[in-house]
Amino acid sequence: MRITTILALAALITTFPVHADPASSHALNNFNRAMIQVNEVELACYAARTELKPGILGDRKLEPEHIRTALSYFYYRNLAECTESAVSHFVLNAAILTSLDSDKADGVAAGIALITQPHVSALQREAEYLQLPSEVRDYLESIEELMTPFHLSSASGLLPAAGDQGHQKEP
């Protein structure tokens, strides 16, 4: 999520009449702080990503589609786990705000959809990942470098060349 997206969303949601209920104003302030916290945590997670080194998959030969599925899954899962606490706090504050001020419901719903998108992607990728053979998943889950946030661009070096379609043995 980009800081400009957060700021645009905040401007949309934070327009509040001067005569607003004090509880609603307080809920809005908490919501805005939670939104900023999500952004700060997300930036820290992205900054902490590591580069995946060639060879981390070891000498095991994996099907190219298994590698793609696993890399996508671990990428989204790691970033979702890194931001989970801040996103949960944001969603709680969003629910409180909409319960106190139903006029904000549409703007808040848009914010929730935007901020939770990486978590939705992680869930979608997990469903694909769980379709891999269990021995492949067990092997991949033993690779420590895949368990922390990483640069997705560095993962491209782990994929076989486009013309390399030879049958590979399963782990």
Side-chain angles (χ1 to χ4, degrees), residues 112-169:
I112 291 171
L114 185 64
I115 286 178
T116 59
Q117 184 54 47
H119 297 265
V120 172
S121 293
L123 183 67
Q124 291 168 328
R125 299 310 174 268
E126 181 178 16
E128 295 167 2
Y129 177 76
L130 292 173
Q131 299 302 310
L132 296 179
S134 61
E135 58 275 356
V136 172
R137 291 193 320 264
D138 291 344
Y139 175 69
L140 291 165
E141 290 165 13
S142 73
I143 301 171
E144 189 175 320
E145 292 87 347
L146 294 176
M147 300 301 124
T148 59
F150 56 85
H151 287 278
L152 193 55
S153 60
S154 68
S156 65
L158 302 176
L159 297 170
D164 186 12
Q165 296 297 330
H167 289 291
Q168 302 171 3
K169 67 178 181 174

Side-chain angles (χ1 to χ4, degrees), residues 33-104:
R33 279 192 292 275
M35 187 184 326
I36 291 167
Q37 182 183 15
V38 168
N39 191 58
E40 289 171 351
V41 168
E42 194 171 62
L43 289 172
C45 293
Y46 277 97
R49 292 178 300 172
T50 61
E51 297 288 331
L52 293 178
K53 305 277 189 273
I56 67 159
L57 297 178
D59 58 358
R60 287 270 176 80
K61 300 294 183 190
L62 301 170
E63 295 295 327
E65 191 55 37
H66 292 175
I67 297 170
R68 281 186 204 88
T69 298
L71 291 174
S72 180
Y73 163 66
F74 285 115
Y75 175 79
Y76 283 106
R77 186 205 68 179
N78 294 339
L79 289 175
E81 285 180 356
C82 187
T83 61
E84 185 172 4
S85 178
V87 169
S88 295
H89 185 68
F90 170 79
V91 171
L92 173 63
N93 279 283
I96 292 169
L97 176 60
T98 57
S99 72
L100 291 172
D101 185 355
S102 60
D103 292 341
K104 297 262 181 258

Side-chain angles (χ1 to χ4, degrees), residues 13-14 16 21-36 89 93 97:
I13 294 171
T14 58
F16 225 81
D21 173 47
S24 295
S25 294
H26 188 62
L28 181 63
N29 288 337
N30 289 342
F31 172 83
N32 287 333
R33 279 192 292 275
M35 187 184 326
I36 291 167
H89 185 68
N93 279 283
L97 176 60

